[in-house]
Amino acid sequence: MATAVAGKGLEGIVAANSGICWIDGEAGVLAYRGIDIHELAVHSTFEETTYLLWNGHLPNQVALREFQAQLALARQLDPRIIDMLRSFPASASPMEVLRTAVSALSFYDADEKDNSHDANVRKAYNLTAQIAMLVAVYDRIRKGKEIISPDRSLSHAGNFLWMLNGVKPSETATRTLDIALILHADHEFNASTFAARVIAATLSDIHSAITGAIGALKGPLHGGANEAVMRMLMAIDKAGEDPVQHVKAMLAAKQKVSGFGHRVYKTEDPRATHLRQMSEQLGNDSGQPKWFQMSRAIELYIKEEKKLNANVDFYSASTYTTLGIDIDLFTPIFALSRIAGWAAHVIEQLDDNRLIRPRAEYIGPVYPSPWLPVENRP
Ligand SMILES: CC(C)(COP(=O)(O)OP(=O)(O)OC[C@H]1O[C@@H](n2cnc3c(N)ncnc32)[C@H](O)[C@@H]1OP(=O)(O)O)[C@@H](O)C(=O)NCCC(=O)NCCS
């Protein structure tokens, strides 16, 4: 029996129980398994955070070492996946390539047909390691550079930068990316995670769920916003415009400014706090504070004018650019972190599954409407 009609975009609807991530949008709190994101950003690593998301508690020293080793061991791509990456048109964006390649990864996963809890955990290790590799490998292929083999002694963040750039990353670059990955690792029932849970709940497979999640993340209202922010900053810079005047004109034209607003947070997005700091610090250290300064001017204006706060995507844009990362890799980098949360949610969904199948409030033509022979139709 259908019950109440949810508000547009399911705003405020609690869709299921979950023990993974807690958000208090009024107070600006985000916690993974009860631990505040600020603590994790300062003290933790992406690997430890992923363990926490998947297991419900922080690992001890032995468990952490084993987890890191297992994730590093999973850094393998079947050569046929690399051949496939080479066959894609040069016009394919890294996010489209990631979506398509992740779908194909299932062909070569030994556990492809096994949808048990343990098999999905094994596939989660593989997907976490492989998504990072796919992003780095495709970037080198499209630039005509040789592919770099993974370095299993490096962290997830460090190995990604190594495979992307072919030079050992600095500690600052590795730690900056590591913190960004912690901040992006999970966010409750966001659009891509919800999409993944809907797919998993049909008892399809984890590769299908993650492929769907990547498709959802790609949109500019979700993960695609970080790329849109940087394209805006670069356009302003190229035209020599005043950043505040630029966004003023956007608002006057009723356009949304990417990187602002949030469905859940009514105060500062706690992830933005860290990304703002990193953007400023990196900008100063690298002698190119321009992107941070432009961002800050825009942020202050939008806050004053529209009472909107910067979200996770706003300062990740200038942070990644200052790290020397191409714009169209920003959303794939979001994915190479969010896989940790997607996998945790898919596994949680399957551990206590029921098909997710809501109802629609019908607003179409009246029932019964007559069926007319084709010659009698207007
Ligand atoms: C995140 C987002 C999709 C949330 O959407 P939502 O909860 O459906 O909120 P709405 O789009 O209905 O916005 C509510 C109001 O705030 C305004 N608003 C929200 N975000 C805005 C933005 N980034 N720029 C300008 N105005 C914005 C809307 O125009 C709307 O105003 P109105 O009531 O006068 O029409 C939305 O804020 C947005 O599009 N932001 C830009 C994209 C982005 O940064 N996405 C990443 C999210 S982490």
Side-chain angles (χ1 to χ4, degrees), residues 200-221:
T202 69
L203 298 186
S204 180
D205 61 282
I206 192 167
H207 286 86
S208 299
I210 303 306
T211 303
I214 293 172
L217 186 72
K218 180 169 165 287
L221 294 189

Side-chain angles (χ1 to χ4, degrees), residues 28 46 50 55 65 184 254 261 299 306 336 355 376:
F46 174 74
T50 303
N55 295 282
R65 257 201 310 277
H184 287 81
K254 301 267 175 256
E299 182 189 24
K306 292 282 288 182
L336 75 85
L355 180 75
N376 297 350

